[in-house]
Amino acid sequence: MKLRIFTEPQQGASYDTLLAVAKATEDLGFDAFFRSDHYLAMGDSDGLPGPTDAWITLAGLARETERIRLGTLVTAATFRLPGPLAIQVAQVDQMSGGRVELGLGSGWFAAEHTAYGIPFPDDKFARFEEQLAVITGLWSTKSGDTFDFAGAHFQLSGSPALPKPVQDPVPVIIGGTGPKRTPRLAAQYASEFNVPFHSVEDSARSFARVGAACAAYGRTVEPVYSNALVVCVGASDAEVARRAAAIGREVDELKSNGLAGSPEEVLDKIGRYAEVGSRRIYLQVLDLQDLDHLELIASKVQSHL
């Protein structure tokens, strides 16, 4: 089981804050630093100092880190056209020496589209499916050849399909709990399938649906299975309560819906996800100023996996 740090910068974080967390992620031995791709704060947060762009952030971190994987969980297909997104991800992959992963989803948060003038179409999933086909098609086109695509939403003709990423292929992460379309796309395109913020039992059912879709598609090696879960660990009950209060959550709720409590409690729950096939856990860290939290997780949880 690998642990990855997953941040939500739209809730309020500057690039310097994200850099500090990414540096701690690397120094403490975690596998990866991931961030959400949102432009508007959610809930009661004022979002100050304002949003940071996911791929600009990752480009900066690509030059300021050496080992950790870097990616999005997940980029909204509504935010960027597939051709330019393929170029952006390939360039950041080059800048990082081949450490980038693309989490891609259909987009869901209507308010951020309205706030920043981004179209929010009704046929988001169909566009998402075409975007996967375009991005992976551009990357897999041999140098010297051209790429064409004639879809209902996107059309490309004579594209040189450049630049190429370092990795061949760049890992693509698809997530969700949809019963039919999402497993089909995961079987076709995903290096990794992620179930965000759901129980062990729900995860097992989602993993099984993807496995069945892989068999139907003729894919013999299934994607890596993973989960994203909010984290709140403390060396004592008082420390757990303090960290829960800092992110506006209740301890009992966090224990039910995330990874919360003592290191021993968190290790036990991680083990239950591992039993149903999960191989990576994205730890949703909501207080980005509390780097001691990451140190505790590294020393008392990660070191025992």
Side-chain angles (χ1 to χ4, degrees):
M1 178 69 76
K2 292 184 177 179
L3 299 185
R4 296 180 155 191
I5 300 303
F6 170 40
T7 62
E8 301 276 5
Q10 76 279 356
Q11 299 303 97
S14 66
Y15 174 77
D16 286 341
T17 297
L18 295 172
L19 175 60
V21 175
K23 289 281 195 181
T25 298
E26 183 155 272
D27 293 343
L28 293 170
F30 292 105
D31 182 56
F33 173 93
F34 271 62
R35 59 157 292 162
S36 60
D37 192 357
H38 285 294
Y39 291 128
L40 194 66
M42 303 170 195
D44 296 330
S45 173
D46 58 19
L48 294 175
T52 49
D53 182 85
W55 286 100
I56 290 176
T57 296
L58 294 176
L61 296 180
R63 307 303 287 180
E64 300 196 71
T65 58
E66 297 179 355
R67 178 190 58 81
I68 51 173
R69 307 289 295 175
L70 300 165
T72 51
L73 205 63
V74 294
T75 283
T78 49
F79 285 177
R80 301 168 183 88
L81 296 172
L85 180 58
I87 291 170
Q88 289 171 329
V89 177
Q91 184 178 6
V92 178
D93 196 51
Q94 292 175 358
M95 294 169 71
S96 69
R99 293 184 284 125
V100 159
E101 302 183 15
L102 171 63
L104 191 64
S106 61
W108 63 272
F109 189 22
E112 67 186 339
H113 293 73
T114 301
Y116 286 97
I118 303 169
F120 191 66
D122 292 332
D123 51 358
K124 292 184 295 299
F125 201 92
R127 290 173 178 268
F128 169 46
E129 184 167 1
E130 286 192 15
Q131 194 156 18
L132 284 165
V134 170
I135 291 169
T136 57
L138 287 167
W139 289 339
S140 63
T141 298
K142 293 181 180 178
S143 295
D145 291 346
T146 58
F147 176 77
D148 299 313
F149 183 83
H153 305 286
F154 304 107
Q155 298 83 39
L156 291 79
S157 178
S159 172
L162 296 172
K164 298 301 183 192
V166 173
Q167 299 175 94
D168 183 18
V170 170
V172 172
I173 304 168
I174 294 174
T177 56
K180 295 181 180 179
R181 295 185 298 178
T182 298
R184 175 177 58 80
L185 289 186
Q188 188 171 356
Y189 294 106
S191 303
E192 177 179 334
F193 177 73
N194 180 268
V195 176
F197 313 117
H198 277 264
S199 68
V200 172
E201 295 75 20
D202 287 343
S203 298
R205 287 189 285 269
S206 293
F207 296 160
R209 285 194 290 264
V210 172
C214 287
Y217 186 67
R219 177 172 172 171
T220 57
V221 179
E222 296 178 21
V224 173
Y225 294 123
S226 66
N227 292 91
L229 295 161
V230 63
V231 67
C232 181
V233 186
S236 64
D237 289 345
E239 192 168 77
V240 175
R242 175 177 61 78
R243 289 198 164 111
I247 60 174
R249 304 280 284 268
E250 298 292 333
V251 171
D252 289 345
E253 177 267 322
L254 287 169
K255 288 187 176 184
S256 296
N257 298 317
L259 297 173
S262 67
E264 293 76 18
E265 288 177 285
V266 169
L267 280 165
D268 178 72
K269 195 163 186 181
I270 289 174
R272 283 183 269 151
Y273 280 96
E275 287 173 359
V276 300
S278 186
R279 293 295 174 263
R280 295 172 185 158
I281 300 287
Y282 293 79
L283 303 175
Q284 186 195 43
V285 178
L286 295 177
D287 184 355
L288 299 183
Q289 305 299 326
D290 186 4
L291 298 184
D292 290 342
H293 193 197
L294 300 187
E295 292 181 10
L296 176 67
I297 296 167
S299 63
K300 300 299 183 181
V301 177
Q302 180 175 246
S303 63
H304 295 282
L305 293 173

